[in-house]
Amino acid sequence: MGAPVRTAKGTHKGCPYREPPWNFRLAVLRMLLVALFVGAGFLGGPTGALSGRAASTVTLRVWYGTDDPTEGPLAQSLATSFQSSHPGTRVQLTTYSLDDINNKLQLALSAGSPPDLIYTTPRGPGLPSYVRADKLLDLTTLARRGGWAAALPPGMLAAYNDALTPTGRAQGHVYAAPSIVAAVAVLYNRSIFQRLHLAIPHDVAAFEAACAKVKAAGLTPIGLGNGDGWVGDDWYLTLVNAETGPGPLIPELHLDPRFNFGGAPFLDAGATLQRWSNSGYFTKDFGGLDAQDSVAAFFNGRTAMQLISSTENGQIAGLVQQTHLPVGVFAFPSTDARRPPVAPQSGYSGWAIPRTGRQSALAAAFITQMLSDPTARRLAADGLLPARPLAPGEITSLTPFQQDYLKALRSATSGVYLDGAPVPNLNATMEANVQLLLQGFETPAFLPRSLRLVYDSHGAKASGTRTDGEF
């Protein structure tokens, strides 16, 4: 058979290999180079342009937690604004309920595959759990370089992050930042107040007297929807603040061992709530309504007052526009008329960056934009109170309802969110037990005992009560 014949693919039996002419080889080389440049997008024309855009697009994965249905569209709009200002970026924002986002994040962080940016509750088991497990980036340098550490109200960022750490002291470190303020105040129906000749109450006794007068007129004194627990929680901590003032309560946020829930104000607050419930001052069937349901019911015009958080302002502003119901806002009065009213205030949910996220630099840019002046104006336009303060001229451009809210906050002492202490199960214990108290299943003394047990053990112990509440 003879020796094998050398071919282009090596040793193989076949036709003898012959070199092609040099000009043919040059033509093939030219075609290969053209194909290479077109594929890489270096040449003009539609194909090159589209290929170039596809190669430069980066996806930022954002998980956004909220139980307020009005927040979702606003969050998507803010994501679109960021996308527009960062060419080549695609923001994939997914909205979850607070229960869902907490469950999913625990799994994603444990698996090392979290989203690039998260927005969730500062109450356990949200951000405090992730700080405790060292799963979040330290944003201290970003806060300074981005300019938003100095732009936020003095002390807000420190207090917010103190509440996320196991010791109650963040030592100046920043792990998360709020873009919206949560401030408690009272929404009231001006028409009912005028018809019944009611004045803004100057102390808790006057508030209770107004409730009795509204009830006698066949109307609902206090709107309440406590299906998700947090409104009853806000009522309890507001009443405690009204009796003590914020000074004696601040040590609780720093886990001071000398603080306890055994004092008279904690018993008095529970007794007041149960008395109001037994007197029929709250919305009927409040345990089956969530906060959004009760706000909607208020605008039917038969409810005189309602404790609200400024995080609900988006829904409220929309209903004011739809119904034209004349409403106002006042800060909740103290038990002593000689003291100013109280308005518990803190940041709402916060932005944080998981350590193992893939786009941490882009996530940092997103946070900086969420805490910028343009975003603050956009939040205010949607009825919310931005964490970054507005300029005086921007305040006067707000709706009367929002201006009333800001006026109420300026007149009040900034109260303490007792459920903000960094203790696992403290928030859930307060919400669940207040609900049972309001429905008559527990005595006023049981609630502070439960809170004391959880607080003193730093969450290691809990009462026998089912604790499924969320902030």
Side-chain angles (χ1 to χ4, degrees):
M1 295 287 296
V5 179
R6 182 179 178 84
T7 68
K9 293 186 179 181
T11 304
H12 179 71
K13 289 187 179 180
C15 299
Y17 176 79
R18 292 183 176 85
E19 292 283 340
W22 67 271
N23 56 341
F24 176 80
R25 279 180 285 163
L26 184 59
V28 171
L29 180 60
R30 284 175 177 164
M31 286 189 289
L32 289 172
L33 287 173
V34 169
L36 178 63
F37 273 72
V38 170
F42 294 133
L43 298 183
T47 303
L50 288 172
S51 179
R53 282 200 297 270
S56 64
T57 298
V58 177
T59 298
L60 178 70
R61 295 172 60 231
V62 182
W63 285 7
Y64 191 98
T66 180
D67 287 331
D68 186 344
T70 66
E71 275 192 57
L74 174 59
Q76 291 290 350
S77 176
L78 292 172
T80 300
S81 296
F82 180 82
Q83 199 168 264
S84 300
S85 62
H86 290 74
T89 299
R90 183 175 77 93
V91 180
Q92 183 184 4
L93 187 143
T94 308
T95 303
Y96 296 102
S97 71
L98 291 177
D99 280 342
D100 283 347
I101 196 171
N102 288 332
N103 293 334
K104 291 178 185 298
L105 272 173
Q106 294 284 3
L107 293 173
L109 289 167
S110 298
S113 57
D116 305 304
L117 181 63
I118 58 176
Y119 179 81
T120 190
T121 172
R123 306 295 185 259
L127 290 169
S129 300
Y130 315 139
V131 172
R132 189 177 299 110
D134 197 27
K135 297 293 186 181
L136 302 179
L137 286 181
D138 190 323
L139 307 179
T140 309
T141 301
L142 169 66
R144 185 177 64 255
R145 291 180 179 173
W148 45 266
L152 293 175
M156 173 181 277
L157 203 56
Y160 192 83
N161 283 273
D162 282 349
L164 305 181
T165 61
T167 62
R169 299 281 185 180
Q171 304 294 342
H173 291 280
V174 177
Y175 303 101
S179 51
I180 298 171
V181 170
V184 175
V186 181
L187 178 73
Y188 73 100
N189 184 321
R190 291 182 184 273
S191 293
I192 292 177
F193 267 55
Q194 185 176 8
R195 189 190 332 157
L196 300 181
H197 305 289
L198 298 175
I200 301 299
H202 57 276
D203 58 23
V204 175
F207 182 92
E208 192 162 352
C211 289
K213 195 168 184 179
V214 173
K215 176 71 174 176
L219 302 170
T220 301
I222 304 171
L224 176 64
N226 205 43
D228 39 14
W230 69 263
V231 182
D233 178 307
D234 278 8
W235 259 122
Y236 181 72
L237 60 88
T238 298
L239 284 166
V240 173
N241 275 270
E243 184 164 342
T244 66
L249 305 178
I250 291 173
E252 186 250 11
L253 300 179
H254 302 307
L255 304 185
D256 190 322
R258 293 167 295 181
F259 177 87
N260 70 77
F261 287 91
F266 302 100
L267 181 63
D268 293 344
T272 298
L273 283 178
Q274 195 166 76
R275 183 172 65 252
W276 290 354
S277 183
N278 292 339
S279 299
Y281 289 168
F282 293 121
T283 304
K284 186 180 179 181
D285 299 326
F286 59 81
L289 301 175
D290 64 23
Q292 289 77 36
D293 292 334
S294 65
V295 168
F298 177 91
F299 280 86
N300 289 334
R302 295 186 58 79
T303 302
M305 298 173 286
Q306 178 147 337
L307 194 73
I308 57 171
S309 167
S310 56
T311 58
E312 300 175 280
N313 281 11
Q315 180 191 11
I316 293 169
L319 288 167
V320 168
Q321 188 174 14
Q322 292 173 27
T323 64
H324 304 290
L325 187 74
V327 300
V329 177
F330 62 84
F332 191 77
S334 294
T335 55
D336 185 342
R338 294 169 297 182
R339 294 204 314 264
V342 295
Q345 296 182 48
S346 77
Y348 184 46
S349 291
W351 298 99
I353 302 175
R355 280 187 178 276
T356 51
R358 296 181 180 180
Q359 303 295 340
S360 57
L362 202 56
F366 193 100
I367 294 177
T368 297
Q369 184 157 316
M370 291 305 100
L371 291 165
S372 66
D373 275 330
T375 301
R377 290 192 292 271
R378 173 62 197 281
L379 293 171
D382 275 61
L384 297 169
L385 297 183
R388 183 169 183 142
L390 299 169
E394 293 167 336
I395 292 175
T396 56
S397 67
L398 299 177
T399 64
F401 161 72
Q402 289 171 282
Q403 292 186 50
D404 215 11
Y405 213 122
L406 290 172
K407 181 181 178 182
L409 298 185
R410 287 195 298 270
S411 71
T413 299
S414 180
V416 173
Y417 271 92
L418 291 166
D419 58 4
V423 175
N425 284 327
L426 182 66
N427 172 233
T429 298
M430 189 179 296
E431 291 184 350
N433 283 279
V434 169
Q435 177 76 304
L436 293 171
L437 173 80
L438 287 167
Q439 294 177 333
F441 296 125
E442 291 181 0
T443 66
F446 188 86
L447 173 56
R449 281 204 307 269
S450 299
L451 295 173
R452 188 164 64 246
L453 182 66
V454 175
Y455 181 85
D456 291 347
S457 68
H458 285 203
K461 296 180 181 179
S463 70
T465 303
R466 183 166 166 260
T467 55
D468 60 351
E470 280 300 334
F471 172 70

